[in-house]
Amino acid sequence: MDTKQNTGRQGFKTSLTKAAEIPEKHLSSLREKQLASFRSIMLVIVLANLLNAAVILLSFRESMIGNLLPMWGGCLVLFSLFALGQDLFEKQFGWRKSRDAEQELQSLTRGATLNGFLWAIAPLVVMSSVDTQGQMVMGIVMAGMMFAGAFLLSHIPDAALSFTIPVGVGLILSMQFQQDTAYQFISVLLIVYMALLVFAVRWSTNQFVEQHLGEAAVSEQSELIGLLLRDFEESTSDWLWQTGADGKLEDIPLVIDTSSDSAGFMTKGASLVGLFAADESRKVLETAMKREQGFRDVVLHVRDQNGEECWVSLTGKPIFDGHQFRGFRGVAADITQSKQIEDRMAHMAHYDGLTGLPNRITLQEHLEKIVRKPPAPHTVRALLWMDLDNFKWVNDTLGHPAGDELLRQVAGRINEMVETTDMVARLGGDEFALIVERPAGGALEDFFHRLTDHMRTPYNIWGSTAHCSASFGVRIFDAYTTDTRQILKHADLALYDAKRTGKAQWCMFTPQLEAHAQARMQTETELEHAIDKDELRVYFQPQVDARTHKMIGAETLLRWQHPTRGLVFPDQFIELAEDNGLITRMGEWVIRTALAEAARLPEHVKVAVNLSPLQIHSATLISTIVNALAANNIAPNRFELEITESVLMTDTEFTLKRLHQIRDLGVRIALDDFGTGYSSLSYLRSFPFDKIKIDKSFVKDIETRQDSRAIAVATLNLAKSLGMRCTAEGVETLYQADFLRDHGCDELQGFLISRAQPLDSLSHIVDIRPKTDQRSATIETLGTDAEANVLAFDEGKRSLSAS
């Protein structure tokens, strides 16, 4: 057997015949059929073998052959009995089931070959030792064996030819050994007969294959037709019906699928219209029947005889005998399943699958209706936009399944607090909306307070306690606002204000909130173009040695030189930049600009830049620092990054790893606003900062409050014990400066020394070089050694960037 890849068919080959191709999927069944054909005549073949052997042995027992013929006969008998015994043994113990059909055919062919060679020996032994009459008998027996073998084994061409050819060759050779020329002609005739036998075997095999393929095709078509019929019978639930002129069913419905009992609710004599529930569809049916008009696919609701609800699609047309109306005839179909699916899909489109509450689409539809319907007299109607305060913590800590359970419990709590006339919807994520109506005079505000307090109660999530309060934005409905999008926007603005001012509370929308939002949007738009328009400025506030009062550093502070508003301070735009992600781009600009300005300062003066929580996660932060240091020929230890605890509180493990990467460059790290957070001491243990900065909120009250002095002294002692320098911010008086210096403070920063100013305005404090290409000037001045150092620094920068 060989596979023909271009046709997807297998060649059924014999050694001397042309391949008969059949599909590969039918090979197995063909082989089984070949084996079945052989097994059915196995006994006949064995008996014929033994009978012919007996004829030869009896016919030539008196010849001068000697012991050769009995030995030949014994071998043939043993072979025949062995083949018959093996067949009976396999039938008895069922070994054929475990044997491969192809292997069994090969074994059968080998047996036929051995049998053929045994019979080929017979004429070679007998023909030279017997008279003409004996030779005639031998020729007849051998010719019979050839033709019988070819005929009986024609369905297995390899076996047929493996038997026939050796027998024919043996007979031809035996005749060639004879002296009579007649035998020579007969041997040639035998060759022709053998060729005819080969052709006959090939023809018979092809007929057998074609017959098998035809039967297989018929079987496949029958199976396909059966499947289609079975699918139709299983899927159809249609039945016929007919009524009289009075609208009553006349004939028992004829069900197309006799296994269906969907027509069971239709009984002879019942009114067709009366079978269905009273609704709009039934009115359509009733009207059409009264007018004697046809109708099509009218969907009707009915209860069957078992009391179960089902839906039926009804189609009918009037019957007329001449001009005489005789009734209606039509077809009905059970569409219960499709109707249920349709209803389920409609429910999924309008309701939240997790909580079962109406979704955003349904809320929008309800809002469209309610804004056109005034509230009842002496009542107030409001939209509440609710957002959970710590939902992300629950998802991150307890897992998303716990978050889903929390949302279900939140929906349950809200439903406990509202009235039946209120609407509660889940908008997605952890956002919910309520439309409530309460009597005027404070009932609405009281409901808001009770709901807010109720949502503060901790949740029990599968044994774990989750604190997840909620914030609310409230928009009161009024008579002149009918734009639902605007109402939703106002509620969202109120929610944002509630979140911004402390969470776990409700906030009412006011026009000021909208004005603030518009101003914020305008500022955001202008801020996006501030860098491109070169409107940002860097100011520097000096840091001096607490004992010598010489400038040793400067903190970089950002200003926005607005074209119409003038100089804008960071507290008016930094929060906005952090919200929209622009802070990363601005922060990198500050680093590059600050280091460019630092090149104008003396070598002993450091420059500090504040780092935001978003900026620490920037993928380009390290490369920005390295490039800026290299471009301006600044030693890394002259550059300092100031971070607050808010930086450390976002993904602490990653943040600490990033800070170590920065520290490995030689850049210094300072902890800003120390003491104003929650876990300053734990952060000091996690990361070895170079400097601690005492927050100005403690410095300003040193003169008046003992606790501020105690905190300042404790911070100074802590920094000294940890080997860190300490800078005090917000120093405004000599008393503050002296107190801090006397207790070990290293550096002072504040209005006492100087306000933040452009670098050129600090020339009275420190020497400032004019603006030039510092990198080129330095290389030109210092020569090739400096150039080599700068190039080496560039190479180190590239290595760090790659790592």
Side-chain angles (χ1 to χ4, degrees):
M1 306 294 175
D2 74 321
T3 304
K4 297 194 174 183
Q5 299 295 342
N6 59 336
T7 62
R9 300 168 71 89
Q10 292 285 335
F12 186 77
K13 298 182 66 177
T14 67
S15 57
L16 296 177
T17 60
K18 184 180 179 180
E21 294 183 351
I22 67 169
E24 186 176 359
K25 62 181 180 178
H26 295 309
L27 273 176
S28 178
S29 60
L30 177 62
R31 290 166 181 159
E32 292 294 340
K33 191 171 183 180
Q34 287 176 298
L35 290 173
S37 174
F38 174 77
R39 290 165 187 159
S40 65
I41 60 173
M42 174 69 176
L43 184 60
V44 174
I45 293 174
V46 172
L47 292 177
N49 219 31
L50 293 174
L51 179 61
N52 283 282
V55 169
I56 291 176
L57 290 173
L58 291 174
S59 298
F60 305 110
R61 66 180 183 277
E62 301 296 337
S63 65
M64 302 298 294
I65 300 173
N67 296 327
L68 290 177
L69 194 60
M71 291 174 59
W72 170 84
C75 291
L76 196 61
V77 169
L78 288 175
F79 172 79
S80 300
L81 294 177
F82 174 80
L84 184 61
Q86 184 183 25
D87 183 67
L88 295 174
F89 187 79
E90 289 180 351
K91 284 182 180 179
Q92 180 69 24
F93 294 97
W95 282 10
R96 286 174 178 162
K97 295 180 181 178
S98 60
R99 293 181 63 183
D100 181 74
E102 185 176 4
Q103 293 177 352
E104 192 169 350
L105 285 173
Q106 292 173 356
S107 176
L108 192 153
T109 301
R110 288 192 293 270
T113 304
L114 178 59
N115 195 31
F117 276 104
L118 285 174
W119 277 102
I121 294 172
L124 294 174
V125 173
V126 172
M127 292 290 283
S128 298
S129 304
V130 297
D131 56 14
T132 303
Q133 184 179 1
Q135 290 175 347
M136 182 180 66
V137 171
M138 191 65 193
I140 293 173
V141 172
M142 295 303 294
M145 288 299 296
M146 287 174 56
F147 283 91
F151 174 75
L152 293 175
L153 296 175
S154 61
H155 291 170
I156 310 174
D158 288 342
L161 298 179
S162 296
F163 174 78
T164 303
I165 292 175
V167 173
V169 170
L171 184 59
I172 292 170
L173 289 176
S174 67
M175 290 186 177
Q176 290 292 325
F177 292 152
Q178 304 303 314
Q179 300 301 320
D180 192 343
T181 57
Y183 287 103
Q184 309 297 324
F185 291 115
I186 293 174
S187 63
V188 173
L189 187 60
L190 281 173
I191 294 174
V192 175
Y193 286 166
M194 286 180 62
L196 290 174
L197 283 176
V198 169
F199 176 80
V201 168
R202 193 188 86 182
W203 180 85
S204 178
T205 300
N206 288 337
Q207 293 297 312
F208 178 73
V209 170
E210 293 299 329
Q211 179 186 2
H212 177 73
L213 292 178
E215 292 174 353
V218 171
S219 177
E220 288 180 350
Q221 291 177 356
S222 299
E223 183 178 357
L224 178 60
I225 293 172
L227 287 173
L228 292 174
L229 289 174
R230 188 156 54 251
D231 287 344
F232 174 77
E233 291 174 357
E234 291 176 354
S235 61
T236 186
S237 56
D238 296 353
W239 62 90
L240 302 176
W241 56 267
Q242 181 173 320
T243 69
D246 56 358
K248 294 183 179 180
L249 290 168
E250 285 190 338
D251 298 317
I252 298 177
L254 172 63
V255 182
I256 296 177
D257 175 13
T258 57
S259 64
S260 172
D261 57 357
S262 302
F265 69 93
M266 283 189 171
T267 56
K268 186 176 180 179
S271 171
L272 179 66
V273 174
L275 296 174
F276 305 106
D279 54 20
E280 292 298 323
S281 297
R282 175 173 151 171
K283 291 180 181 178
V284 171
L285 173 64
E286 191 172 7
T287 302
M289 294 186 72
K290 285 181 178 179
R291 295 177 179 177
E292 300 177 0
Q293 296 176 344
F295 50 89
R296 185 176 185 82
D297 296 330
V298 179
V299 178
L300 298 155
H301 184 207
V302 66
R303 287 185 179 274
D304 62 17
Q305 59 185 3
N306 297 324
E308 296 181 0
E309 290 187 341
C310 63
W311 295 85
V312 175
S313 175
L314 210 64
T315 298
K317 64 178 182 179
I319 305 170
F320 291 94
D321 183 5
H323 296 285
Q324 183 68 31
F325 173 67
R326 296 296 186 183
F328 277 87
R329 181 184 297 129
V331 63
D334 186 350
I335 59 169
T336 303
Q337 186 176 8
S338 60
K339 179 65 175 176
Q340 290 173 346
I341 294 174
E342 181 183 343
D343 292 344
R344 192 178 303 117
M345 291 178 64
H347 185 272
M348 290 172 62
H350 290 82
Y351 289 85
D352 175 51
L354 181 64
T355 62
L357 297 175
N359 59 13
R360 186 185 294 268
I361 296 175
T362 308
L363 174 71
Q364 185 72 35
E365 293 174 352
H366 190 68
L367 274 176
E368 295 287 351
K369 295 177 182 178
I370 204 169
V371 293
R372 294 173 176 82
K373 179 182 177 183
H378 309 295
T379 61
V380 183
R381 184 185 295 154
L383 169 67
L384 280 78
W385 196 286
M386 187 191 95
D387 184 82
L388 300 180
D389 294 327
N390 299 313
F391 182 68
K392 185 178 184 299
W393 178 88
V394 175
N395 265 343
D396 294 345
T397 306
L398 302 179
H400 288 278
D404 292 342
E405 174 62 20
L406 174 63
L407 292 174
R408 283 189 285 266
Q409 292 191 25
V410 168
R413 284 195 183 182
I414 298 175
N415 284 326
E416 291 173 1
M417 298 293 295
V418 299
E419 298 179 0
T420 55
T421 55
D422 298 333
M423 180 184 185
V424 182
R426 182 189 173 210
L427 307 179
D430 60 339
E431 290 186 331
F432 294 80
L434 296 81
I435 299 177
V436 299
E437 189 172 329
R438 297 291 185 273
L444 193 62
E445 289 78 2
D446 180 63
F447 170 73
F448 297 157
H449 288 304
R450 288 187 294 107
L451 181 60
T452 305
D453 291 339
H454 189 50
M455 300 305 293
R456 285 196 188 101
T457 307
Y459 295 85
N460 184 352
I461 309 295
W462 303 326
S464 299
T465 300
H467 296 272
C468 194
S469 57
S471 300
F472 297 87
V474 180
R475 173 60 161 89
I476 303 295
F477 286 83
D478 52 55
Y480 52 85
T481 305
T482 58
D483 188 348
T484 58
R485 292 174 298 179
Q486 187 175 10
I487 293 173
L488 290 170
K489 175 185 174 183
H490 290 171
D492 193 29
L493 290 174
L495 173 62
Y496 176 82
D497 194 55
K499 289 274 192 181
R500 183 181 60 84
T501 55
K503 301 182 180 180
Q505 59 182 335
W506 62 274
C507 179
M508 188 83 71
F509 169 78
T510 61
Q512 289 76 14
L513 288 179
E514 186 171 24
H516 177 72
Q518 293 175 349
R520 178 185 175 89
M521 186 178 301
Q522 177 66 25
T523 302
E524 181 177 349
T525 302
E526 295 174 347
L527 189 59
E528 289 179 353
H529 302 289
I531 298 178
D532 299 330
K533 293 182 178 180
D534 195 26
E535 295 175 0
L536 297 181
R537 304 286 185 269
V538 288
Y539 278 43
F540 297 90
Q541 187 171 32
Q543 298 170 341
V544 300
D545 186 282
R547 299 191 179 278
T548 65
H549 286 234
K550 290 184 178 181
M551 181 174 171
I552 59 174
E555 180 180 358
T556 306
L557 300 172
L558 185 62
R559 300 289 187 267
W560 179 10
Q561 188 65 51
H562 195 276
T564 58
R565 296 162 57 188
L567 196 64
V568 182
F569 285 82
D571 58 349
Q572 300 180 43
F573 65 86
I574 287 295
E575 182 181 355
L576 181 60
E578 289 179 341
D579 289 344
N580 64 14
L582 191 60
I583 191 66
T584 299
R585 185 181 172 203
M586 292 174 58
E588 293 180 353
W589 178 89
V590 171
I591 291 174
R592 292 192 296 269
T593 307
L595 288 175
E597 292 287 78
R600 304 172 58 198
L601 292 169
E603 297 294 329
H604 69 279
V605 178
K606 302 183 295 294
V607 173
V609 172
N610 291 285
L611 203 63
S612 72
L614 287 178
Q615 197 175 355
I616 195 70
H617 288 81
S618 171
T620 59
L621 175 62
I622 300 292
S623 60
T624 299
I625 295 173
V626 173
N627 288 330
L629 289 172
N632 297 285
N633 195 27
I634 303 295
N637 61 3
R638 288 185 58 198
F639 184 49
E640 187 175 272
L641 289 176
E642 297 183 2
I643 66 169
T644 61
E645 290 184 37
S646 60
V647 174
L648 293 166
M649 291 175 67
T650 57
D651 195 358
T652 305
E653 182 178 353
F654 172 84
T655 302
L656 292 177
K657 181 180 178 181
R658 175 57 58 85
L659 290 177
H660 278 290
Q661 291 174 341
I662 297 173
R663 189 98 180 281
D664 290 342
L665 297 175
V667 176
R668 299 163 61 85
I669 308 294
L671 182 59
D672 199 8
D673 299 339
F674 181 78
T676 60
Y678 299 99
S679 306
S680 297
L681 295 179
S682 66
Y683 293 137
L684 289 178
R685 185 178 62 179
S686 302
F687 184 81
F689 291 94
D690 297 289
K691 180 193 291 186
I692 297 175
K693 298 191 73 174
I694 304 176
D695 188 67
K696 61 184 178 182
S697 61
F698 301 118
V699 174
K700 71 176 182 178
D701 293 331
I702 284 179
E703 299 181 36
T704 58
R705 295 183 57 171
Q706 175 61 34
D707 55 355
S708 293
R709 290 193 292 272
I711 291 174
V713 172
T715 303
L716 291 168
N717 291 334
L718 177 63
K720 185 176 181 181
S721 64
L722 293 175
M724 302 177 185
R725 294 182 64 82
C726 192
T727 300
E729 295 181 303
V731 179
E732 298 181 359
T733 67
L734 286 174
Y735 178 86
Q736 294 170 351
D738 292 340
F739 178 85
L740 292 166
R741 180 199 61 217
D742 294 341
H743 286 84
C745 186
D746 301 295
E747 302 170 7
L748 304 176
Q749 177 182 342
F751 290 170
L752 178 64
I753 295 92
S754 174
R755 294 178 180 271
Q757 301 183 61
L759 187 61
D760 290 327
S761 300
L762 297 177
S763 58
H764 63 288
I765 299 178
V766 66
D767 293 333
I768 300 174
R769 290 191 290 269
K771 293 184 178 180
T772 60
D773 185 351
Q774 294 297 321
R775 186 177 188 274
S776 300
T778 302
I779 294 175
E780 183 179 354
T781 303
L782 298 180
T784 57
D785 291 341
E787 182 177 8
N789 290 337
V790 173
L791 293 175
F793 187 87
D794 289 345
E795 183 63 30
K797 174 257 295 184
R798 286 191 291 271
S799 299
L800 285 169
S801 299
S803 61

